[in-house]
Amino acid sequence: MSLSNIAAFNRTNLDFKVVAGILGAFIFFLGFALLLPAGIDLIYKEDTWHSFLISALIAFGLGGTLWYFFKPKEELRVREGFMVVSLTWITLSLVGAIPFLISGILDSYTDAVFETISGLTTTGSTILGGTTSDGITNPMIEDLPKSFLFWRSLAHWLGGMGIIVLSIAILPLLGVGGMQLFQAESPGPTTDKLTPRVQETAKLLWVVYVAFTFAEFLLLWIHPSMDWFDSVNHAMATLATGGFSTKNASIQGFDSAYIDWVITAFMFFAGINFAMHFRLLRGDATSFFSNRELRFYALVTFLAVIGLSLSLWLFNNYHIGEALRYGAFQAVAIITTTGFGTDDYELWYSFGTFLLFILFFTGGCAGSTGGGIKMIRWMIMIRNTFREIKQIIHPKAVLPIRIGDQTINQGIQRTVLSFFILYIVIFAIGSLVISLFGYDLMSSMGASISALGNIGPGWGEFGPTDSFAKMPYFGKWVLILLMMVGRLEIFTVLILFSPAFWKQ
């Protein structure tokens, strides 16, 4: 054991200085991100660059001060890693919301934080284009300056692969405790390390992420309905499975079958474990196509596309081509928790809408940028259910759960079951709290699962054509918490509320 590890082991209390120092490094990094929208403003000359410059200076000042005074000198422990991750997401949202206020685009700091954390958590819910509970009318999406449209999409893109993973990849000074941060932030029940060093793993994942983003950008840009700006924004939002668009009507605003199919394909790609993408690009096709979670994800997507397309064709009188186009897009958008829209699914026949509501509880693969429960967890729960049935018939038999050639140990099984129970309980509590504000059943449940699953659009008064602006401010903070809990896979946040976490 190294001297640094021994020192970390001997520390009995949480070291808040270590947490503050690393948190400062992330805030400082956010300052560089805030300069990019200022560059967009200089291109379009909309006179909003000062909002981002001032915000960047605030981030540099705050982050630099924390890093200077509390720079970590000891190894980061697991508990401190969880605290850093949870505090990073909310802190970056609080700082990232400042440009909305300085520019005067939004009058409410709550709305600014809501829009920012919705971007960073890749949720895609918006308060734009609606009137708040105290009568303030927020601007429409298409009325925003280009710099702010870009900032929303950039927040998606950074949050998709994870700001912390990005920081570990490009800032060697954060090599201290890197694995703890990587494991705490990465979505899914397991973390797939491609190399022995976590910093190299983070770099490889980001190389794949950037490559897919650039590929989609080119495919969108060659179509006349999108200029380079729209293409960049939608490529970033798609690969992050976010859902922010530059149009009030989302993807429907481009009215292009080509655009729909390109985005459908890349949403599906974004729902796959990026480690599997890397293996495929490296030439390991066998590992890619034999992956059981990927097969299950493809099967669920295929069945959802068929079900929704048939519903639109048989009951909504869509032409078969249009039924497949809209059914495929909406199925993939919800399964991957991207949340883009090309049609108002609340107007669909009841079978299609109910099937889509079920898909709100799915999610992409572990290691993807998608939110939700994740396919691997559903696989383990389904296998466990069949195992229990067999166990009743053969009570003395030893029946392990296997995914492919891998045996799932009981510890992972318990974690998955606990996650699922917590997920449903938190969804129910969120729905109950939202209902206190007078919203109907579907609106309350839709808002809750939309935030917890990082999906974006909900149901009822928060459907695909509506805004969350009308939600009372306390309700918005409830949804902000749900977004963060969902993005960090529940345990990373809830562990902070455990008494055992704070014990020496």
Side-chain angles (χ1 to χ4, degrees):
M1 183 180 291
S2 66
L3 292 177
S4 61
N5 287 335
I6 292 174
F9 180 79
N10 289 333
R11 281 185 286 137
T12 56
N13 296 317
L14 279 167
D15 193 336
F16 292 101
K17 292 182 179 179
V18 172
V19 174
I22 296 179
L23 191 61
F26 290 132
I27 296 173
F28 191 84
F29 166 76
L30 181 67
F32 289 105
L34 285 165
L35 292 177
L36 297 178
I40 295 295
D41 178 78
L42 294 178
I43 294 174
Y44 286 96
K45 300 178 180 179
E46 295 175 314
D47 198 28
T48 61
W49 60 269
H50 65 281
S51 302
F52 291 99
L53 179 59
I54 295 173
S55 301
L57 292 176
I58 292 173
F60 288 142
L62 177 60
T65 301
L66 289 173
W67 177 258
Y68 179 79
F69 286 104
F70 304 113
K71 182 177 179 179
K73 296 180 175 61
E74 297 177 310
E75 182 72 18
L76 184 71
R77 297 174 300 176
V78 174
R79 288 195 302 172
E80 291 155 357
F82 280 113
M83 178 174 284
V84 166
V85 169
S86 296
L87 293 179
T88 295
W89 286 86
I90 186 62
T91 303
L92 295 187
S93 298
L94 294 174
V95 177
I98 294 175
F100 286 104
L101 296 181
I102 295 178
S103 64
I105 287 177
L106 294 177
D107 295 325
S108 164
Y109 186 55
T110 295
D111 280 2
V113 174
F114 184 98
E115 194 75 8
T116 306
I117 200 168
S118 180
L120 288 172
T121 58
T122 72
T123 303
S125 300
T126 185
I127 46 76
L128 297 173
T131 302
T132 64
S133 57
D134 54 358
I136 298 173
T137 300
N138 291 332
M140 302 293 287
I141 293 173
E142 292 179 28
D143 292 334
L144 285 185
K146 293 287 197 299
S147 56
F148 281 88
L149 292 175
F150 182 80
W151 174 233
R152 295 165 78 240
S153 301
L154 180 63
H156 267 343
W157 195 70
L158 292 174
M161 187 57 69
I163 293 174
I164 293 170
V165 175
L166 173 63
S167 301
I168 292 171
I170 66 174
L171 297 178
L173 53 87
L174 289 179
V176 176
M179 193 59 204
Q180 285 86 338
L181 294 178
F182 186 68
Q183 289 177 328
E185 195 278 337
S186 297
T190 59
T191 303
D192 196 345
K193 287 184 66 179
L194 301 175
T195 66
R197 296 183 59 195
V198 64
Q199 188 176 341
E200 292 301 317
T201 298
K203 286 180 180 179
L204 291 175
L205 292 176
W206 267 92
V207 166
V208 177
Y209 191 54
V210 171
F212 271 98
T213 305
F214 185 69
E216 184 184 1
F217 160 71
L218 292 178
L219 289 173
L220 293 176
W221 193 19
I222 63 176
H223 194 273
S225 64
M226 276 196 181
D227 59 17
W228 74 270
F229 182 79
D230 287 331
S231 301
V232 168
N233 280 268
H234 287 90
M236 290 194 294
T238 301
L239 266 298
T241 62
F244 278 157
S245 176
T246 57
K247 297 289 187 182
N248 297 323
S250 190
I251 308 303
Q252 186 180 17
F254 295 98
D255 193 25
S256 167
Y258 172 83
I259 296 296
D260 289 358
W261 283 113
V262 168
I263 292 179
T264 299
F266 278 90
M267 285 192 296
F268 180 80
F269 297 152
I272 298 173
N273 188 333
F274 274 80
M276 299 308 300
H277 284 309
F278 174 78
R279 291 193 170 97
L280 178 63
L281 294 173
R282 194 177 57 182
D284 188 3
T286 302
S287 175
F288 182 87
F289 291 106
S290 63
N291 183 270
R292 295 304 177 93
E293 184 187 20
L294 175 55
R295 289 182 177 183
F296 184 70
Y297 166 63
L299 176 63
V300 170
T301 302
F302 174 76
L303 294 177
V305 169
I306 295 301
L308 291 178
S309 299
L310 286 175
S311 178
L312 291 173
W313 179 45
L314 295 175
F315 303 119
N316 289 90
N317 299 318
Y318 281 49
H319 183 273
I320 185 63
E322 289 187 338
L324 184 61
R325 168 187 167 188
Y326 294 121
F329 187 98
Q330 213 59 67
V332 177
I334 298 303
I335 290 174
T336 61
T337 71
T338 308
F340 278 140
T342 55
D343 204 2
D344 186 355
Y345 51 73
E346 291 191 298
L347 301 178
W348 292 359
Y349 185 71
S350 56
F351 173 81
T353 55
F354 186 69
L355 175 56
L356 203 62
F357 183 74
I358 293 175
L359 297 180
F360 271 61
F361 295 86
T362 54
C365 299
S368 70
T369 57
I373 294 176
K374 299 290 192 305
M375 291 297 171
I376 187 64
R377 291 193 178 98
W378 277 111
M379 292 177 71
I380 292 173
M381 287 190 293
I382 292 171
R383 295 288 176 90
N384 186 65
T385 300
F386 284 108
R387 194 273 303 272
E388 290 299 320
I389 294 174
K390 290 182 180 179
Q391 197 74 66
I392 294 173
I393 300 172
H394 306 287
K396 296 183 179 181
V398 178
L399 303 171
I401 295 178
R402 289 189 176 90
I403 303 294
D405 297 329
Q406 182 180 2
T407 299
I408 307 299
N409 65 53
Q410 292 186 352
I412 293 179
Q413 295 175 38
R414 287 194 299 269
T415 301
V416 169
L417 180 60
S418 299
F419 178 92
F420 183 77
I421 293 172
L422 277 172
Y423 196 91
I424 298 302
V425 169
I426 293 172
F427 157 68
I429 293 174
S431 302
L432 192 63
V433 172
I434 298 303
S435 70
L436 290 175
F437 301 109
Y439 292 108
D440 59 70
L441 179 66
M442 286 307 298
S443 297
S444 301
M445 292 196 303
S448 180
I449 191 58
S450 168
L452 182 61
N454 305 135
I455 297 167
W459 295 84
E461 295 192 44
F462 307 106
T465 61
D466 300 302
S467 167
F468 284 81
K470 67 189 79 172
M471 177 74 69
Y473 289 119
F474 179 76
K476 289 174 183 174
W477 283 105
V478 171
L479 295 182
I480 286 171
L481 178 61
L482 289 177
M483 289 182 212
M484 192 172 74
V485 169
R487 176 62 179 86
L488 296 177
E489 305 261 313
I490 296 180
F491 290 115
T492 304
V493 178
L494 293 191
I495 195 174
L496 301 184
F497 296 93
S498 169
F501 178 83
W502 301 97
K503 289 182 179 178
Q504 294 185 5

